[in-house]
Amino acid sequence: MKFVKIILEFKLAKNEFPIEYRKTILSFIKKSLSDCNSGKYYDKYFKDNIQKDYCFSVDLPGPKYKNGKIELYKDVIKVIFSADDSKKTNLILYSAFIKQKGKVFKLENNNSMKLISVKVKNSENIVNCRAIFKTAKGSSICVREHNKEQNEDKYYIYNDSEFREKLAIVLKNELKNIILEKDIEEIVVNPIQCSKCVVKHYGNYIDTSIGLFEISAKPYVLNYLHTVGIGSRKSAGFGMIELVTSDLV
């Protein structure tokens, strides 16, 4: 499998961004797919609860949370997408984003953003069975347990006693049709140096984790997790991880 990252650079009309910036980027993705090839691929990613094979993070320069918005020290932000190539997701997203280049995308508070750059970068190939990752800037790991009967969500962070167990369930549900079952059972995620991060998402405040994580698994599994992210709600701006080192004994 080939893994790539798509790096988008936007210029803002004002040096600020919405607090719920993940929702903003989701709206941009939907707009991009709707405008590309007459919306041919929109349902592929946004019909019902289809599992998506990409994640993204938002790099905001010098963010300061103030007066219900995020103030920035400059008017340029970056959004990094990481996608699996096996179903051409990177090509589909790249094509959709390219068509938005130079167009103004309106934001709240009379602000707007314009896509000024679209670049592609290959991801590192992991060949060992153990690696240390860090949460990408602007991202965090979300582990959600959904109660269908009561339609309620419960979130777990790195120091909860059930964190590893709940994350293992999330991974198993996500990977069962992609990774061999015996290889899924071998995945071990250990928080190393982490902290709690509270995120506002669609009006709700949820607990997530940021920091360093050691993950043990087959190399092809580590590469996949590195590409599509780890945890819940990855395609909504959570779970992107960056490789720190895989040179471990």
Side-chain angles (χ1 to χ4, degrees), residues 55-73:
C55 62
F56 69 84
S57 65
V58 185
D59 186 352
L60 301 173
K64 293 183 179 180
Y65 294 77
K66 188 176 179 181
N67 298 325
K69 60 187 177 183
I70 303 176
E71 296 183 352
L72 309 173
Y73 82 83

Side-chain angles (χ1 to χ4, degrees), residues 98-163:
I98 280 291
K99 291 183 179 297
Q100 295 299 314
K101 191 173 179 181
K103 296 181 180 180
V104 173
F105 185 82
K106 293 184 179 180
L107 305 174
E108 61 188 50
N109 197 30
N110 293 318
N111 197 5
S112 64
M113 64 184 192
K114 182 190 296 183
L115 181 60
I116 59 175
S117 174
V118 183
K119 297 179 181 178
V120 175
K121 177 183 177 182
N122 289 329
S123 293
E124 307 95 319
N125 184 44
I126 301 170
V127 297
N128 295 327
C129 293
R130 193 158 58 101
I132 294 176
F133 299 92
K134 65 179 179 180
T135 47
K137 185 176 180 181
S139 188
S140 58
I141 292 180
C142 170
V143 177
R144 177 181 65 162
E145 180 182 48
H146 181 65
N147 186 314
K148 291 184 178 180
E149 288 73 24
Q150 300 181 13
N151 193 29
E152 293 180 349
D153 292 326
K154 183 175 181 179
Y155 294 89
Y156 298 86
I157 61 171
Y158 71 99
N159 58 356
D160 288 328
S161 60
E162 298 176 86
F163 176 79

Side-chain angles (χ1 to χ4, degrees), residues 142-208:
C142 170
V143 177
R144 177 181 65 162
E145 180 182 48
H146 181 65
N147 186 314
K148 291 184 178 180
E149 288 73 24
Q150 300 181 13
N151 193 29
E152 293 180 349
D153 292 326
K154 183 175 181 179
Y155 294 89
Y156 298 86
I157 61 171
Y158 71 99
N159 58 356
D160 288 328
S161 60
E162 298 176 86
F163 176 79
R164 291 175 176 81
E165 174 193 346
K166 300 303 180 182
L167 178 56
I169 294 172
V170 170
L171 289 172
K172 187 173 183 178
N173 290 335
E174 175 197 348
L175 302 175
K176 60 185 178 183
N177 297 319
I178 303 167
I179 304 297
L180 294 174
E181 184 176 353
K182 65 182 182 63
D183 294 339
I184 296 176
E185 297 295 336
E186 292 180 1
I187 301 174
V188 178
V189 181
N190 288 319
I192 299 177
Q193 186 177 347
C194 301
S195 58
K196 176 180 175 180
C197 179
V198 180
V199 175
K200 187 178 182 181
H201 189 59
Y202 284 94
N204 297 313
Y205 290 93
I206 62 178
D207 294 340
T208 65

Side-chain angles (χ1 to χ4, degrees), residues 7-21:
I7 303 170
L8 309 182
E9 192 170 87
F10 295 89
K11 185 172 181 62
L12 302 170
K14 297 181 181 180
N15 291 27
E16 63 182 51
F17 213 59
I19 284 183
E20 294 195 48
Y21 57 83

